Amino acid sequence: MVIELLQHALCAEWPDAEVRSFGSQDTKLYLPQGDIDLVVLSRSMDSRPREVTLRSMAACLRAHKLATDIQVIARAKVPIIKFVCPLGHFNVDISINQANGLQTARFVNRWLAHQPAIRPLVMVVKQLLQQRALSEVFTGGLGSYSVTLLVLSFLQVHPKLQRDEITAERNLGTLLMEFLELYGKNFGYDECGISVRGDGSYFSKRQRGMFDSRKPFMLCIEDPHDIGTWSQLKALTAGNNIAMGSFAIISVRSALGGAFDILQAALCQRCLLYTSDAADEEDSV
């Protein structure tokens, strides 16, 4: 219903506007308090600078009483407007003519069908980051798509999963701990980039031309939809870094590592209590 109302309002000014949902809304990887990601597809919106169009859109939605607390974020990699829709108090993000978001949702849905363990791991990590205000890219956090690709890569290269020694669905707790330990403690952010193409792999940021000496600590995730052949990739051409906007990645890494420490301490404590209870029972016998 909200999308229909937004569509009706925007079409009053841009008749060719089409409002589409994408991202977590389409993949069902959204949290209860998460944002609704929408894209407006319209040729007529490209007739003016993007920032001007975003501000006109904000004014249009405000006039139709469909938006409050509006923020125009025009200087981001993907310019958007953020607002709260009074009908249900939903947080909404809208971009313009970013059709790649629709392609991304289809890509994620294919992997969710192929590897169901992705969903619970992504949801836990997203909740963890949201609680620590590290889930919004425009404030430097790690966005939903980046989290999903991190989980996918982790499962792709996990040695025991590769050798079919364990099944992901029956070892979610162990996999969560290993995920937190990898990206919170051990991953080589300075040198290593992540690719989920094919069976998944790591690559050298330096050799691929994706190393920034001013910010060597940045997370690097290759865009699986970059246009290019395998031969071009082997020729070490730089590509789009999905996580480029996550400038607070040190805080993200600290949050993941801290969560690992907390869970490990809790598990050790529980193990000690179990061992102590078992010893007491044996003594009583």
Side-chain angles (χ1 to χ4, degrees), residues 197 210 222-229 233 238-241:
R197 293 176 186 260
M210 301 174 81
E222 175 195 79
D223 186 346
H225 296 116
D226 266 349
I227 298 175
T229 64
L233 291 173
N240 178 39
N241 178 10

Side-chain angles (χ1 to χ4, degrees), residues 114-251:
H114 178 71
Q115 178 53 278
I118 293 173
R119 185 179 300 278
L121 292 173
V122 167
M123 297 299 283
V124 171
V125 175
K126 285 183 63 173
Q127 182 65 47
L128 167 68
L129 294 176
Q130 187 176 80
Q131 288 175 340
R132 290 155 177 78
L134 291 168
S135 60
E136 293 277 7
V137 176
F138 83 100
T139 56
L142 203 59
S144 179
Y145 189 37
S146 290
V147 171
T148 302
L149 293 183
L150 282 185
V151 170
L152 171 56
S153 170
F154 168 74
L155 296 177
Q156 284 179 320
V157 303
H158 194 288
K160 289 189 177 181
L161 291 174
Q162 285 185 326
R163 295 193 296 264
D164 292 324
E165 294 178 10
I166 63 172
T167 58
E169 293 82 357
R170 294 188 177 185
N171 293 273
L172 291 173
T174 298
L175 291 173
L176 174 62
M177 290 293 291
E178 292 177 346
F179 177 92
L180 296 174
E181 184 178 25
L182 173 62
Y183 293 116
K185 302 280 187 179
N186 300 327
F187 189 75
Y189 288 83
D190 287 6
E191 299 292 337
C192 194
I194 294 169
S195 172
V196 297
R197 293 176 186 260
D199 295 328
S201 62
Y202 297 135
F203 60 84
S204 167
K205 290 165 60 174
R206 293 177 186 272
Q207 291 181 350
R208 188 67 66 81
M210 301 174 81
F211 179 83
D212 186 345
S213 59
R214 298 167 299 176
K215 297 177 287 185
F217 53 82
M218 291 295 289
L219 174 64
C220 180
I221 307 175
E222 175 195 79
D223 186 346
H225 296 116
D226 266 349
I227 298 175
T229 64
W230 281 103
S231 60
Q232 289 173 320
L233 291 173
K234 289 177 182 178
L236 311 179
T237 57
N240 178 39
N241 178 10
I242 293 294
M244 184 180 297
S246 299
F247 57 81
I249 192 63
I250 293 178
S251 296

Side-chain angles (χ1 to χ4, degrees), residues 18-55:
E18 180 185 0
V19 181
R20 301 274 296 274
S21 65
F22 71 98
S24 299
Q25 192 69 21
D26 274 9
T27 60
K28 303 298 185 291
L29 289 173
Y30 56 85
L31 299 174
Q33 61 274 46
D35 296 346
I36 297 176
D37 294 314
L38 303 176
V39 59
V40 179
L41 304 177
S42 167
R43 290 185 179 180
S44 61
M45 284 187 174
D46 282 335
S47 62
R48 293 188 293 175
R50 187 56 47 89
E51 182 173 357
V52 174
T53 302
L54 287 171
R55 295 194 182 280

